[in-house]
Amino acid sequence: MSVRAKKKLGQHFLNDENIVNKIVSAILELEAKKMIEIGPGMGILSKDLYQKDFNFSAIEIDSESVEYLAKNYPNMNVISGDFLKLDAHKLFDEDTYIVGNFPYNISSQIFFKMLKHRDHVPGLVGMIQKEVAERIQEKAGTKTYGILSVLLQTFYDVEYLFTVNENAFTPPPKVKSAVIKLTRNNRKNLECDEALYFRLIKESFGQRRKMLRASLRQHIGNITDCKFLTERPEQLSVDDFIQLTLAVEKYQNK
Ligand code: SAH
């Protein structure tokens, strides 16, 4: 008996062993000591991971899938629960890699949780919607460069590994998919106020057609000596946003 796919849980089960092998190879290259898989479903990836030489847990929200895994892979460590709600201090108590064919409806939230715990998440290999994967790796100056591109690139190197077609899944999703790899970069703490950095990025992309002078008025009053104010958010690189945050801090401390 297999698990009946539930739409609201973003269940699209991989059915193509060639794709599975490609993803598993990319995962094994991480050389992890500890790994969590988000959304194992029926374990098509997990079956090739759980007996390897690292600490592996699979986190699954769907009780039917959890039962399926318990029956078919009794030695697999499966955590029944919602990844977004699980206690991060237990999940990320040591360097922990994140992998999976993710539920696409929560992929951004997965990345935000990872960013919050980035010093314990050295890397990730995961499948997400193709458009999101493309956006994440975009550089400044392109139309699709956005909040997640800047925030992830602040702390991670992003690699687009390969595209996966709809027919590799049962049921097929409406969108194409892609596997990406994120690797923690060398940036430790930002030289600017991190909360303010996140806020300025979110607020400026919230009105991406406007110049920063307009969208950030409440933070900057009418300062003029900052070169970014006549630009739009998609034109700013990570370093530019750091410089912008420093300029705003300086203004606010005056
Ligand atoms: N990895 C499997 C299943 C992918 S579908 C495969 O490739 O075949 C996505 C999986 O994520 C589903 O099993 C779904 O139940 C699970 N899921 C959805 N939301 C979740 C959440 N918040 N936490 C953990 N798992 C979740």
Side-chain angles (χ1 to χ4, degrees):
M1 274 287 281
S2 58
V3 173
R4 185 179 48 87
K6 299 162 203 72
K7 212 172 174 183
K8 69 172 191 333
L9 295 177
Q11 289 183 335
H12 296 278
F13 299 113
L14 266 170
N15 61 29
D16 182 332
E17 272 300 324
N18 286 324
I19 302 286
V20 169
N21 290 339
K22 278 174 82 174
I23 300 174
V24 167
S25 311
I27 290 174
L28 295 178
E29 273 173 29
L30 295 171
E31 299 191 345
K33 288 208 179 69
K34 183 182 168 199
M35 181 185 294
I36 57 174
E37 180 189 355
I38 302 174
M42 286 181 276
I44 189 135
L45 297 174
S46 347
K47 71 178 184 339
D48 295 337
L49 299 171
Y50 80 108
Q51 287 169 316
K52 298 275 192 244
D53 188 21
F54 46 74
N55 171 344
F56 175 83
S57 333
I59 300 169
E60 177 55 62
I61 199 171
D62 174 34
S63 50
E64 195 186 345
S65 297
V66 172
E67 270 173 43
Y68 178 98
L69 293 170
K71 201 180 270 166
N72 290 280
Y73 305 102
N75 295 324
M76 190 185 290
N77 183 18
V78 181
I79 301 173
S80 172
D82 178 346
F83 168 72
L84 298 175
K85 294 199 182 131
L86 288 177
D87 181 355
H89 297 286
K90 285 192 194 131
L91 285 182
F92 305 122
D93 55 346
E94 58 181 296
D95 276 5
T96 304
Y97 287 80
I98 299 177
V99 304
N101 165 21
F102 299 142
Y104 297 173
N105 51 336
I106 62 162
S107 58
S108 302
Q109 287 154 283
I110 292 173
F111 293 131
F112 281 113
K113 186 158 180 169
M114 178 192 76
L115 278 169
K116 205 163 162 194
H117 300 281
R118 59 181 182 259
D119 288 333
H120 284 121
V121 186
L124 170 152
V125 167
M127 180 130 64
I128 54 177
Q129 188 177 334
K130 180 171 185 263
E131 284 79 42
V132 179
E134 286 169 345
R135 211 180 310 144
I136 285 174
Q137 57 147 17
E138 282 295 0
K139 293 284 178 241
T142 57
K143 272 220 176 67
T144 48
Y145 179 69
I147 296 177
L148 262 185
S149 340
V150 190
L151 292 180
L152 283 175
Q153 289 172 32
T154 305
F155 298 107
Y156 287 86
D157 294 333
V158 180
E159 268 175 88
Y160 185 105
L161 297 185
F162 52 88
T163 305
V164 180
N165 286 328
E166 298 87 329
N167 59 11
F169 304 86
T170 313
K174 292 211 173 69
V175 293
K176 290 207 187 302
S177 304
V179 177
I180 57 159
K181 177 175 183 172
L182 305 178
T183 310
R184 185 78 175 84
N185 65 21
N186 294 327
R187 192 176 267 120
K188 288 291 167 227
N189 290 315
L190 295 181
E191 52 276 39
C192 62
D193 177 338
E194 187 178 310
L196 183 62
Y197 176 80
F198 274 64
R199 183 138 37 92
L200 294 179
I201 290 170
K202 283 187 186 158
E203 288 180 14
S204 49
F205 280 106
Q207 307 188 62
R208 64 181 298 143
R209 312 288 302 268
K210 289 196 182 163
M211 289 183 198
L212 297 182
R213 189 175 53 205
S215 27
L216 302 181
R217 186 161 284 138
Q218 56 147 326
H219 299 285
I220 53 175
N222 47 16
I223 50 166
T224 50
D225 61 341
C226 172
K227 64 178 174 180
F228 303 117
L229 297 180
T230 53
E231 298 200 3
R232 293 183 175 76
E234 69 235 32
Q235 294 166 294
L236 272 64
S237 67
V238 167
D239 287 322
D240 293 340
F241 271 111
I242 293 173
Q243 292 310 313
L244 172 74
T245 308
L246 288 170
V248 172
E249 274 174 51
K250 203 169 132 201
Y251 169 77
Q252 292 181 339
N253 291 333
K254 251 195 225 156

